[in-house]
């Protein structure tokens, strides 16, 4: 493949630098460093352009912090100005790395990603009986700078670009001549390209047509256990001698029907579920989000945004019953909030009120009819939490039917008959002269 040259002028073009700024500012507009850079955007981009062309751009300004979810990692966040530089580099250099990648490499590539990798793995599992899953121990910390630069020199021949790559690599190391900072855009592309020789080895020399790699997690499928063991031996030898990498001890060789943990999922030939570790992590984060909302540290909008991001990972896979179980167990009921179940409220009110005695209505309070679950109609209204309806005043379906029938015939309705039978009620008088209204002698 022809190497790329004369790239620095393209990287330093004002349009490319401006596009790099918009990419770096995505979802960062509220940050102070992003706002400060944007206030003087034209002058900042002009300074960056001149530094690139003169070969004196500064790199290595990292803010480091430790994360422990899902596992402990040291994150190196570059300054906003350096993130603009990284995007400007990758806008021009990433297409050359993309052409060197095979189809079944799914990390840091447009149109690929984690979900596509899992679906591809499920497709291979349906057609093969065995799988071999491998992972590299401390991958980012073990990448050798000299080997990576040799791989990059096969794609780029511009000396100024290679000099900038070398300066970025030298700005961070976990051991002499090794290590990439986790969190940099350039580190993601470099780490993904570092294993391109392994992709060629498996797909071209070992005949692994069923193969998927997502960064340092890769799986090979086959039809015999012996063939998978031979692939294991060849790959481990190549990693040790050519790339100075080491496989983790948890290499998995098993039948596809037993399932395989891959990228947070449990992949079976005909379905994909959440892995056990993903379920535990979902429960832990769900409870933490609910606690923040109930204690008032998050608004409803903030809680909804975080819950949306948490649930999004589980949606493509078979997880509906699991999510429902987590919501019932750790959601509203777990925080001691009363459930708003109208049927349950009605049953509690019926147990508290004597039979036939209407509930006293407070002064200045609107009387509302309780809506029964499963009933609909124009006269049904939602019950207020402050003024529960009187269960004795709710008509049954038979009473409603009789009321419509008697009203149509012009006779007394069932509601009037109920009022006449109520305690302490006197029937209406037809006329003042009627004998029916005379008071009986004492």
């Amino acid at each position: 493949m022809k190497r790329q040259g004369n790239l620095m002028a393209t990287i330093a073009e004002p349009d490319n630098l401006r596009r790099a700024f918009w990419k770096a500012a995505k979802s960062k507009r509220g940050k102070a460093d992003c706002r400060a850079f944007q206030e003087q955007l034209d002058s900042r981009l002009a300074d960056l352009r001149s530094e690139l062309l003169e070969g004196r751009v500064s790199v290595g300004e990292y803010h480091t912090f430790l994360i422990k979810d899902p596992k402990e990692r040291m994150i190196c966040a570059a300054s906003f100005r350096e993130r603009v530089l990284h995007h400007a580099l990758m806008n021009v250099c990433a297409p050359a790395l993309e052409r060197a990648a095979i189809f079944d490499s799914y990390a840091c590539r447009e149109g690929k990603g984690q979900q596509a990798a899992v679906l591809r793995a499920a497709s291979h599992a349906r057609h093969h009986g065995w799988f071999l899953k491998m992972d590299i121990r401390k991958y980012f910390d073990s990448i050798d700078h000299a080997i990576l630069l040799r791989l990059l020199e096969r794609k780029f021949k511009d000396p100024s670009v290679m000099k900038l790559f070398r300066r970025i690599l030298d700005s961070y190391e976990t051991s002499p001549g090794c290590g990439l900072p986790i969190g940099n855009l350039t580190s993601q592309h470099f780490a993904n390209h570092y294993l391109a020789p392994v992709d060629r080895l498996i797909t071209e020399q070992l005949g692994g047509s069923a193969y998927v790699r997502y960064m340092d997690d890769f799986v090979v499928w086959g039809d015999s256990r012996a063939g998978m063991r031979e692939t294991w031996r060849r790959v481990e030898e190549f990693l040790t001698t050519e790339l100075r990498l080491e496989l983790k001890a948890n290499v998995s060789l098993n039948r596809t029907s037993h399932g395989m943990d891959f990228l947070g999922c449990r992949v079976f030939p005909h379905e994909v579920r959440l892995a056990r570790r993903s379920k535990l992590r979902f429960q832990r984060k769900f409870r933490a989000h609910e606690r923040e909302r109930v204690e008032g540290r998050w608004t409803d909008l903030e809680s909804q945004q975080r819950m949306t991001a948490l649930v999004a990972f589980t949606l493509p896979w078979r997880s509906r019953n699991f999510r429902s179980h987590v919501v019932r167990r750790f959601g509203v009921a777990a925080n001691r909030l009363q459930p708003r179940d109208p049927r349950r409220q009605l049953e509690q009110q019926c147990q508290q009120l004597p039979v036939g005695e209407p509930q006293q209505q407070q002064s200045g309070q609107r009387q509302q009819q309780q809506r029964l679950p499963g009933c609909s109609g124009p006269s049904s209204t939602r019950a207020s939490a402050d003024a529960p309806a009187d269960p004795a005043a709710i008509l049954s379906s038979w009473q409603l039917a009789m009321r419509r029938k008697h009203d149509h015939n012009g006779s007394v309705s069932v509601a009037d008959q109920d009022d006449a039978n109520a305690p302490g009620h006197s029937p209406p008088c037809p006329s003042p002269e009627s004998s029916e209204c005379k008071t009986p002698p004492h």
Side-chain angles (χ1 to χ4, degrees):
M1 183 181 297
K2 186 177 180 180
R3 296 193 300 167
Q4 300 293 312
N6 301 322
L7 298 179
M8 185 55 71
T10 306
I11 294 172
E13 285 183 357
D15 291 342
N16 182 56
L17 295 178
R18 189 173 295 273
R19 184 166 64 253
F21 163 75
W22 292 118
K23 287 185 176 181
K26 186 177 181 180
S27 303
K28 304 290 184 182
R29 296 299 182 83
K31 302 292 184 179
D33 54 354
C34 178
R35 293 199 303 268
F37 194 96
Q38 188 174 5
E39 288 174 357
Q40 303 176 358
L41 181 60
D42 293 336
S43 61
R44 297 289 181 91
L45 294 182
D47 293 342
L48 182 58
R49 169 181 168 80
S50 62
E51 292 177 6
L52 281 170
L53 294 177
E54 296 172 8
R56 54 181 180 86
V57 63
S58 61
V59 295
E61 302 176 10
Y62 299 129
H63 165 63
T64 60
F65 56 94
L66 188 68
I67 64 170
K68 298 183 179 180
D69 186 21
K71 62 182 180 181
E72 187 172 302
R73 289 191 181 98
M74 181 63 69
I75 305 299
C76 299
S79 63
F80 185 81
R81 182 177 181 277
E82 192 168 345
R83 291 201 296 270
V84 175
L85 169 65
H86 295 167
H87 279 281
L89 275 173
M90 290 299 107
N91 285 345
V92 178
C93 299
L97 301 179
E98 172 70 20
R99 289 191 293 270
I102 66 171
F103 177 83
D104 284 313
S105 176
Y106 286 87
C108 303
R109 299 178 64 190
E110 187 176 355
K112 301 288 185 176
Q114 182 185 34
Q115 182 177 344
V118 173
L119 294 176
R120 181 69 167 173
S123 175
H124 288 320
R126 287 192 291 269
H127 299 91
H128 299 278
W130 293 86
F131 72 87
L132 173 66
K133 179 179 176 296
M134 293 169 281
D135 192 4
I136 297 175
R137 179 179 177 273
K138 294 186 178 296
Y139 178 53
F140 275 76
D141 293 342
S142 303
I143 293 178
D144 189 278
H145 293 176
I147 298 176
L148 177 59
L149 286 172
R150 287 201 300 269
L151 294 174
L152 293 174
E153 286 175 350
R154 298 176 184 176
K155 305 301 174 186
F156 308 101
K157 63 180 179 180
D158 191 326
S160 57
V161 172
M162 291 303 305
K163 180 180 178 181
L164 183 55
F165 285 164
R166 187 175 292 105
R167 292 182 59 194
I168 293 174
L169 294 178
D170 293 340
S171 67
Y172 177 88
E173 60 182 16
T174 55
S175 60
C178 293
L180 292 179
I182 300 176
N184 279 7
L185 177 65
T186 53
S187 298
Q188 299 175 25
H189 287 276
F190 290 165
N192 194 43
H193 183 67
Y194 194 77
L195 288 179
V198 178
D199 299 338
R200 301 294 180 182
L201 170 71
I202 295 177
T203 58
E204 297 176 3
Q205 299 183 28
L206 302 181
S209 59
Y211 170 71
V212 170
R213 180 173 70 85
Y214 188 89
M215 197 56 75
D216 62 321
D217 294 334
F218 49 101
V219 189
V220 186
W221 286 265
D223 297 321
S224 68
R225 183 183 181 90
M228 293 292 95
R229 293 190 69 88
E230 176 62 18
T231 301
W232 181 357
R233 185 189 66 80
R234 294 281 301 275
V235 170
E236 187 172 22
E237 180 182 358
F238 183 86
L239 289 173
T240 304
T241 58
E242 300 295 331
L243 300 178
R244 298 181 183 176
L245 299 175
E246 180 183 352
L247 287 177
K248 286 184 179 179
N250 60 347
V251 177
S252 180
L253 173 59
N254 209 335
R255 295 184 181 272
T256 56
S257 58
H258 295 170
M260 173 190 66
D261 285 346
F262 185 57
L263 303 180
C265 300
R266 187 73 177 173
V267 180
F268 292 90
H270 298 288
E271 66 176 352
V272 178
R273 306 174 186 173
L274 287 178
R276 180 177 180 274
R277 289 180 60 182
S278 298
K279 291 182 178 181
L280 295 177
R281 183 169 180 257
F282 181 89
Q283 291 182 7
R284 183 174 66 253
K285 294 181 75 68
F286 184 92
R287 296 178 67 180
H289 290 358
E290 274 290 289
R291 192 182 309 114
E292 296 290 330
R293 183 188 65 82
V294 171
E295 294 177 358
R297 287 191 288 267
W298 288 353
T299 64
D300 290 343
L301 177 60
E302 293 173 335
S303 178
Q304 182 184 19
Q305 292 173 344
R306 287 169 170 82
M307 284 293 187
T308 300
L310 179 63
V311 173
F313 170 74
T314 67
L315 292 178
W317 323 121
R318 182 181 172 184
S319 58
R320 181 175 181 178
N321 292 338
F322 165 73
R323 293 196 307 272
S324 301
H325 169 74
V326 172
V327 171
R328 288 194 302 267
R329 184 179 179 185
F330 303 115
V332 175
N335 290 293
R336 300 175 182 175
L337 299 179
Q338 294 296 329
R340 296 185 177 181
D341 186 356
R343 186 184 299 275
R344 184 175 180 180
Q345 291 178 357
L346 184 59
E347 292 175 353
Q348 293 174 354
Q349 294 166 6
C350 291
Q351 293 175 1
Q352 296 173 0
L353 292 175
V355 177
E357 180 179 347
Q359 184 178 359
Q360 295 294 330
Q361 182 179 354
Q362 298 180 2
S363 59
Q365 193 176 36
R366 284 178 59 182
Q367 183 178 2
Q368 295 183 346
Q369 184 178 355
Q370 176 72 31
R371 179 184 176 94
L372 289 176
C375 297
S376 60
S379 61
S380 299
T381 57
R382 188 177 299 278
S384 173
D386 298 330
D390 179 11
I394 300 176
L395 301 179
S396 65
S397 58
W398 177 82
Q399 289 175 318
L400 291 173
M402 293 299 296
R403 166 186 276 186
R404 289 193 293 268
K405 179 178 179 181
H406 285 274
D407 289 345
H408 178 72
N409 296 332
S411 58
V412 181
S413 65
V414 176
D416 295 335
Q417 293 179 3
D418 292 341
D419 293 340
N421 295 331
H425 178 78
S426 300
C429 296
S431 63
E433 295 81 6
S434 174
S435 60
E436 297 179 2
C437 292
K438 296 180 179 180
T439 303
H442 295 283

